[in-house]
């Protein structure tokens, strides 16, 4: 029994230390879609995003990542006024193709990812704080451009508390030099 536990620990440690760290930075546009339950209109605004991710490769051109696409920005609302918004999600992503992991050889010019997780959203309206949370879904595409990686990302968060829907679209740059 002790040898089985020891073997499981060794395999787990090898998997954890075989992971590589990557990160993206980007800009985008998000919107809180009109809620028909409470009659609030749509609000929208720009954001900056930083997404650190830890990749665990399991096939030659695929990996699974633990990621957190952190976003900071503003939202403009016709009645409530301007607000600051911050998103702090934790997600699991399935990556394929280009930039699926750091130490890849150049296999193809296109790659992508999709995944889901939990998102915490903090809004501040003129001294008032509003917290929202729910399930986030992400999908994106990465494109190889002369030793660099550029991409586009789509996000959707369904809020459990107020039944709101947040959507976003953004452009990002993946740090690294891809050969």
């Amino acid at each position: 029994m002790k040898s089985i536990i020891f073997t499981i620990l060794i395999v787990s440690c090898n998997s954890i230390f075989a992971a590589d760290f990557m990160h993206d930075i980007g800009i985008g546009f998000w919107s809180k879609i009109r809620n028909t339950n409470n009659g609030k209109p749509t609000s929208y605004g720009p954001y900056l995003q930083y997404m650190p991710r830890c990749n665990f490769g399991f096939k030659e051109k695929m990996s699974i990542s633990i990621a957190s696409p952190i976003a900071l920005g503003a939202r403009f609302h016709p009645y409530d006024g301007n607000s600051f918004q911050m998103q702090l999600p934790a997600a699991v992503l399935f990556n394929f193709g280009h930039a699926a992991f750091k130490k890849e050889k150049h296999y193809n010019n296109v790659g992508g990812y999709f995944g889901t997780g939990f998102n915490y959203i903090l809004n501040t309206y003129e001294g008032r704080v509003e917290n929202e949370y729910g399930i986030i879904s992400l999908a994106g595409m990465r494109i190889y451009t002369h030793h660099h990686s550029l991409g586009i990302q789509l996000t959707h968060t369904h809020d459990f508390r107020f039944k709101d829907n947040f959507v976003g679209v953004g452009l990002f740059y993946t740090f690294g030099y891809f050969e």
Side-chain angles (χ1 to χ4, degrees):
M1 183 67 179
K2 289 181 183 178
S3 63
I4 293 173
I5 293 172
F6 181 72
T7 305
I8 290 171
L9 286 174
I10 295 295
V11 169
S12 298
C13 288
N14 285 339
S15 297
I16 290 170
F17 293 116
D20 63 350
F21 176 78
M22 295 179 78
H23 50 147
D24 309 328
I25 191 165
I27 59 171
F29 192 79
W30 55 24
S31 179
K32 181 178 181 179
I33 304 297
R34 182 173 189 262
N35 187 335
T36 56
N37 293 335
N38 60 19
K40 286 196 171 186
T42 300
S43 58
Y44 51 87
Y47 69 86
L48 294 172
Q49 178 175 302
Y50 175 69
M51 182 167 69
R53 61 187 163 108
C54 189
N55 303 322
F56 301 93
F58 67 92
K59 284 203 171 199
E60 191 172 335
K61 300 176 191 176
M62 293 181 221
S63 70
I64 292 179
S65 300
I66 297 171
S68 182
I70 301 163
L72 302 170
R75 244 187 34 233
F76 308 108
H77 193 278
Y79 303 127
D80 291 339
N82 302 337
S83 69
F84 166 78
Q85 181 171 311
M86 177 173 58
Q87 292 189 5
L88 298 169
V92 176
L93 304 176
F94 174 75
N95 301 286
F96 55 91
H98 172 64
F101 49 90
K102 188 184 269 184
K103 296 176 182 166
E104 72 171 41
K105 296 207 179 349
H106 180 67
Y107 295 115
N108 48 17
N109 292 333
V110 179
Y113 61 92
F114 59 89
T116 188
F118 183 79
N119 194 6
Y120 172 76
I121 301 168
L122 174 71
N123 295 306
T124 59
Y125 294 99
E126 301 172 358
R128 190 180 59 170
V129 176
E130 187 177 274
N131 298 311
E132 301 179 76
Y133 48 87
I135 298 294
I136 186 169
S137 301
L138 303 114
M141 189 170 93
R142 298 183 191 101
I143 301 166
Y144 175 77
T145 58
H146 196 329
H147 304 295
H148 298 285
S149 180
L150 299 175
I152 185 167
Q153 173 178 283
L154 302 171
T155 62
H156 175 266
T157 299
H158 178 71
D159 174 43
F160 293 145
R161 205 164 152 209
F162 301 112
K163 305 297 183 217
D164 292 325
N165 288 297
F166 294 86
V167 294
V169 62
L171 300 172
F172 63 88
Y173 173 81
T174 301
F175 289 97
Y177 185 81
F178 302 97
E179 296 184 20

